[in-house]
Amino acid sequence: MRVLGIDPGLSRCGFGLVARQGAALCAEAHGVIRTPIELALPERLARLAIELDALLDDHRPDAVAVERVFFQNNARTAMSVGQASGLALAAAARRGLRVEQYTPNEVKQAVTGWGAAPKDQVQAMVTALLGLAETPRPADAADALALALCHCTMAPLRDRVAHAARDAGPSAAVPTGRGAGRPSPKLAAAIAAAQARDTLVAVPGTRSSTGRSAR
């Protein structure tokens, strides 16, 4: 499985490609797409769309993981991030790729085991898990690799839980009433078994490449 993580942004859109073969993980590429701030918004979006298309066509990932747009104090920043995110989601969907969105807390939990981990801890774990010689720069690239790692962890688990729910049949339905929000014991056991089988293994000596600029 090859996963392209995208940390959406209009000025800097981070990307990171992670390949997983069994338990082995490696970074195949990472960097940022930049758009000039002096250009009008429509032209910046057009340039970003072209670069995202080229990125997907060049690397041909199996799946794309995009950061879910979350509430931000700066409405203007939130809007530009949302616009960049929409371009990434649409570009992946046009190619029939599996697309998943993850919140920052989900990414932190998957990569560090702590949903409130600081950014430097996330970057350190990305560097360690991928066996990189140095922390990916800029931070947008590291965040994109973290998204790809998150998907490598979460996607197999989600698939196994979905399969377990189907195999368990109607008796595994989520209860209603006082038990609402909790899976049935049968489904909970299936989820626990899926979690126990899913692990991340660091692989030393992997490679990465940086840098992609808007044409």
Side-chain angles (χ1 to χ4, degrees):
M1 180 171 63
R2 299 171 71 247
V3 181
L4 180 67
I6 296 179
D7 181 38
L10 191 54
S11 295
R12 295 188 310 276
C13 182
F15 67 87
L17 184 67
V18 172
R20 178 172 189 170
Q21 295 183 342
L25 294 164
C26 70
E28 294 191 346
H30 64 270
V32 294
I33 300 170
R34 303 177 187 271
T35 63
I37 60 175
E38 65 272 13
L39 296 180
L41 176 61
E43 187 171 351
R44 295 180 73 186
L45 290 172
R47 290 197 179 196
L48 178 56
I50 291 171
E51 286 295 326
L52 287 170
D53 282 336
L55 188 65
L56 290 167
D57 291 340
D58 288 348
H59 294 292
R60 300 185 179 278
D62 301 302
V64 177
V66 183
E67 182 173 313
R68 185 181 296 278
V69 178
F70 218 57
F71 174 79
Q72 296 186 31
N73 292 328
N74 189 320
R76 185 174 181 178
T77 300
M79 183 172 293
S80 66
V81 170
Q83 291 166 331
S85 175
L87 291 176
L89 295 173
R94 284 197 302 271
R95 289 161 175 76
L97 300 174
R98 177 173 180 173
V99 188
E100 297 284 356
Q101 293 179 276
Y102 299 98
T103 67
N105 285 355
E106 286 177 321
V107 174
K108 292 175 181 178
Q109 179 68 39
V111 175
T112 72
W114 181 31
K119 185 175 287 287
D120 59 348
Q121 185 175 344
V122 175
Q123 293 175 355
M125 284 302 297
V126 167
T127 304
L129 289 168
L130 294 174
L132 300 174
E134 57 185 22
T135 301
R137 300 292 182 197
D140 311 84
D143 291 344
L145 287 170
L147 278 157
L149 284 170
C150 177
H151 184 76
C152 287
T153 304
M154 296 294 293
L157 176 58
R158 287 182 176 183
D159 292 344
R160 288 168 185 164
V161 169
H163 292 157
R166 287 196 295 268
D167 293 343
S171 62
V174 175
T176 59
R178 293 183 63 185
R182 296 194 302 270
S184 67
K186 189 172 183 180
L187 181 54
I191 293 173
Q195 290 175 323
R197 290 194 299 269
D198 194 67
T199 57
L200 275 173
V201 177
V203 179
T206 54
R207 56 194 173 85
S208 67
S209 63
T210 61
R212 183 185 188 91
S213 301
R215 289 188 290 268

